[in-house]
């Protein structure tokens, strides 16, 4: 995804810190403090996407990660949360989140065989907001496979990817008049498969979302200019969650987002919503939602079989 930023030497740390203070007077168009950021739930403040094709360059003005103050108890906002997000002495404020995400990956590897539900997503593609798009999905973890049937828009559109059968191709059937063309095989990264999509189907799902967040956090913990806050006041699909918000107040090439929010279901222990906004392009400008993914009607480990991910199954691609 992105290359690891080169750690700054001890001799440059003081220079970087002074440069940050000086540049802050000029570049605070997007980082004038917490008062400039919107407050959930009507979130309109910005965040950069979790994945990008071109690795970010290192901004030499970024503040190196500073030694954190010890935190002995759960941070504020975590009342009723089942997750341990206590910050250990001397560590970056993102480290508790990184530990939790890695624990989540291990739990999914060990106990999540498959799941079904409804995925609703909104994405910024080529400067245009696409969505919300809603689709019924079924996901198999090993070998990784995804079946999607669009609900709105494009009702009837159907897509199936099964890495155990073909790692580079998916099977699709279009909506509307394209339905009459029948099934077709498409390259997962090709123009037709990616039309109207921000990421390929191979990046779909709860596990892949968590894995990408881990990659980003592992880079972010190398730098300062990061605040983390929590809340248990928000529900997704009527279910309690712990919301983790991470903010990088100043635009830096080192960081991929300004604000990221992830909602972890208390019972399922998986992320059921992720939202991201870009930094304003000018002072006082309105942020633009770049991507949001919400999983509802989740059923973990339902009675799915190999036939549910087999393109030759006559029950698939047969009804609009």
């Amino acid at each position: 995804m992105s290359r690891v930023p080169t750690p700054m030497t001890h001799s440059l740390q003081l220079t970087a810190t002074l440069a940050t203070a000086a540049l802050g007077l000029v570049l605070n168009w997007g980082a004038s403090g917490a008062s400039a950021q919107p407050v959930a739930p009507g979130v309109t403040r910005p965040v950069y996407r979790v994945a990008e094709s071109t690795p970010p360059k290192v901004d030499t003005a970024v503040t190196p990660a500073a030694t954190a103050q010890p935190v002995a108890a759960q941070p504020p906002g975590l009342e009723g949360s089942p997750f341990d997000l206590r910050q250990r002495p001397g560590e970056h404020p993102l480290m508790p989140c990184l530990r939790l995400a890695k624990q989540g990956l291990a739990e999914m590897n060990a106990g999540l065989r498959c799941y079904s539900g409804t995925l609703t997503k909104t994405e910024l593609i080529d400067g245009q907001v696409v969505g919300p798009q809603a689709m019924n999905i079924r996901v198999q973890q090993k070998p990784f496979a995804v079946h999607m049937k669009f609900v709105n828009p494009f009702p009837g559109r159907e897509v199936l990817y099964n890495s155990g059968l073909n790692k580079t191709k998916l099977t699709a059937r279009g909506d509307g008049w394209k339905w009459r063309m029948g099934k077709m095989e498409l390259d997962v990264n090709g123009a037709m498969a990616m039309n109207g999509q921000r990421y390929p189907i191979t990046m779909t799902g709860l596990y892949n979302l968590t894995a990408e967040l881990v990659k980003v956090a592992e880079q972010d913990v190398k730098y300062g200019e990061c605040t983390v806050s929590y809340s248990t006041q928000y529900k997704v699909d009527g279910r309690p969650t712990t919301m983790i918000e991470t903010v990088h107040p100043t635009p830096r090439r080192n960081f991929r987002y300004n604000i990221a929010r992830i909602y972890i279901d208390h019972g399922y222990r998986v992320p059921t919503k992720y939202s991201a906004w870009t930094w304003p392009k000018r002072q006082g400008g309105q942020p633009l939602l770049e991507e949001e993914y919400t999983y509802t009607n989740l059923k973990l480990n339902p009675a799915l079989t190999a036939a549910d991910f087999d393109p030759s199954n006559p029950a698939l691609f047969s009804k609009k």
Side-chain angles (χ1 to χ4, degrees):
M1 300 297 294
S2 62
R3 66 174 182 266
V4 177
T6 304
M8 299 180 183
T9 63
H10 179 73
S11 62
L12 288 178
Q13 289 183 357
L14 179 57
T15 302
T17 302
L18 294 174
T20 299
L23 286 177
L25 298 176
V26 179
L27 298 178
N28 67 356
W29 53 270
S32 56
S35 61
Q37 304 293 341
V39 178
V43 180
T44 54
R45 57 182 184 183
V47 95
Y48 208 62
R49 66 184 177 191
V50 154
E52 60 185 6
S53 57
T54 304
K57 298 179 180 179
V58 172
D59 187 336
T60 56
V62 66
T63 305
T67 301
Q69 294 299 315
V71 177
Q74 284 273 62
L78 285 171
E79 296 79 9
S81 175
F83 307 116
D84 183 1
L85 288 161
R86 288 173 291 182
Q87 185 179 354
R88 297 171 184 171
E91 72 177 4
H92 193 281
L94 261 179
M95 281 304 299
C97 308
L98 183 55
R99 282 195 298 273
L100 180 61
K102 289 183 176 181
Q103 179 184 348
L105 290 178
E107 291 177 0
M108 282 188 268
N109 267 326
L112 185 59
R113 182 179 62 85
C114 59
Y115 55 93
S116 63
T118 301
L119 169 61
T120 302
K121 64 178 184 176
T122 300
E123 300 174 315
L124 183 67
I125 302 172
D126 296 328
Q128 300 294 321
V129 177
V130 177
Q133 296 180 351
M135 60 208 73
N136 293 325
I137 67 167
R138 292 180 289 201
V139 178
Q140 174 182 272
Q141 292 294 99
K142 297 177 182 179
F144 181 68
V146 182
H147 175 259
M148 296 180 173
K149 193 160 187 178
F150 284 70
V151 177
N152 184 50
F154 319 119
R157 180 181 294 183
E158 197 166 351
V159 183
L160 174 63
Y161 171 74
N162 190 330
S163 64
L165 301 176
N166 194 323
K167 294 185 181 297
T168 62
K169 301 287 185 180
L170 59 80
T171 304
R173 189 165 188 175
D175 58 289
W177 63 268
K178 296 178 183 178
W179 178 264
R180 296 192 295 271
M181 298 173 62
K183 296 187 297 184
M184 60 185 72
E185 281 196 348
L186 304 174
D187 187 311
V188 293
N189 294 302
M192 291 186 68
M194 291 298 297
N195 184 33
Q197 308 301 316
R198 188 176 175 92
Y199 302 114
I201 194 171
T202 53
M203 295 181 67
T204 301
L206 303 172
Y207 186 94
N208 288 329
L209 170 61
T210 306
E212 287 302 313
L213 294 173
V214 166
K215 290 179 182 179
V216 173
E218 286 178 334
Q219 303 310 313
D220 286 356
V221 296
K222 298 177 181 180
Y223 305 99
E225 302 179 14
C226 175
T227 62
V228 180
S229 58
Y230 308 93
S231 176
T232 55
Q233 300 302 307
Y234 303 99
K235 293 185 177 182
V236 176
D237 201 24
R239 297 177 56 87
T241 68
T242 292
M243 186 274 287
I244 302 172
E245 178 185 84
T246 306
V247 178
H248 297 302
T250 305
R252 304 290 190 194
R253 291 176 179 175
N254 309 65
F255 304 135
R256 294 185 182 181
Y257 59 83
N258 177 196
I259 302 170
R261 285 198 182 108
I262 188 80
Y263 300 74
I264 307 175
D265 188 283
H266 286 183
Y268 294 151
R269 299 179 65 85
V270 297
T272 52
K273 184 176 180 180
Y274 171 75
S275 304
W277 292 259
T278 60
W279 281 282
K281 295 188 180 297
R282 63 185 184 279
Q283 185 176 9
Q286 293 298 313
L288 185 63
L289 179 69
E290 279 215 336
E291 54 189 16
E292 183 170 82
Y293 307 95
T294 305
Y295 291 86
T296 56
N297 305 313
L298 266 181
K299 293 180 175 59
L300 304 187
N301 294 325
L304 299 179
T305 67
D308 293 303
F309 304 96
D310 186 346
S312 65
N313 181 353
L316 304 179
F317 303 100
S318 61
K319 297 180 182 179
K320 288 189 179 182

